[in-house]
Amino acid sequence: IVRGGLLYEATKKTAVKASAGVESYDFGNTSPLGEDLNTDIFSYDIAASWQATEKILVEAMARNGIQPAAQYVSNTKEITLASLGASYDITKSWILSLAGSWRYDDYIGKIEDPDTGALQSKHRRLYGGRLRLDYKPSAKFFDLYAETTYEDSNTNIQDDYGNYDQWRITLGLALRY
């Protein structure tokens, strides 16, 4: 990866971090069909934050990259994702946050469609949302949180990793020392 970037703090309340460059992925193997899975892309990563008020923080992010496709043997994918979220400090100890996200996966190697047997490019779009409540007590050695997330996945090939929508509820404890 060859990348350059910058951090720009327009005011005490507004900041933007950005980087861009060329990302080269050398898979070191071919797909089962003999396709070359090595690829080069223009990659970017941008994040912005705005402290709208003393209690409200708004954040946005977008990036792309290349990664192995864990669900398929010998395949890679280019990913593009973006998110927008906000948090509200209810009190010093309680923080409520809400975020939405979008992700697009473009698989480099072709995938066999189980319905037709045809080989085709696979694309997946994921949409998500998250609502989270954090409790950060004055005791500095732990935090508690409750979170619910939703994810909707839509793909052009209905194989074992086809369309789905999923809700998750998580309760957590973070310990520090």
Side-chain angles (χ1 to χ4, degrees):
I1 297 175
V2 177
R3 182 180 291 265
L6 63 97
L7 168 64
Y8 176 64
E9 293 180 347
T11 68
K12 287 176 88 175
K13 295 182 174 188
T14 307
V16 176
K17 293 188 298 186
S19 67
V22 176
E23 186 172 343
S24 180
Y25 188 82
D26 183 4
F27 190 72
N29 202 354
T30 59
S31 77
L33 304 172
E35 297 168 290
D36 182 8
L37 299 174
N38 301 333
T39 189
D40 299 320
I41 65 166
F42 170 77
S43 67
Y44 61 88
D45 188 346
I46 184 166
S49 64
W50 173 47
Q51 189 74 50
T53 69
E54 188 176 298
K55 294 181 172 258
I56 297 174
L57 174 66
V58 178
E59 296 178 301
M61 180 276 300
R63 71 177 177 88
N64 74 339
I66 304 167
Q67 66 184 41
Q71 64 270 46
Y72 299 106
V73 175
S74 298
N75 207 335
T76 54
K77 60 185 173 182
E78 182 178 347
I79 60 165
T80 305
L81 54 103
S83 67
L84 177 64
S87 64
Y88 175 68
D89 295 352
I90 300 166
T91 67
K92 284 186 176 183
S93 298
W94 292 93
I95 301 168
L96 180 66
S97 58
L98 177 66
S101 63
W102 169 84
R103 176 175 163 156
Y104 181 76
D105 294 347
D106 184 9
Y107 292 79
I108 306 298
K110 298 211 181 305
I111 306 295
E112 183 178 342
D113 187 324
D115 294 333
T116 65
L119 296 172
Q120 55 184 320
S121 297
K122 181 171 182 170
H123 309 281
R124 173 180 287 150
R125 285 181 179 81
L126 297 105
Y127 304 92
R130 177 178 57 91
L131 177 65
R132 181 174 168 135
L133 181 64
D134 287 274
Y135 174 62
K136 299 179 181 242
S138 56
K140 300 292 183 196
F141 64 92
F142 78 97
D143 294 340
L144 296 171
Y145 66 90
E147 176 178 80
T148 185
T149 58
Y150 173 76
E151 184 173 83
D152 181 24
S153 172
N154 295 290
T155 182
N156 64 321
I157 298 177
Q158 297 305 311
D159 57 6
D160 292 341
Y161 308 99
N163 296 341
Y164 66 86
D165 61 311
Q166 178 181 70
W167 284 94
R168 288 187 301 261
I169 296 174
T170 308
L171 302 174
L173 168 67
L175 298 173
R176 289 186 297 281
Y177 65 94

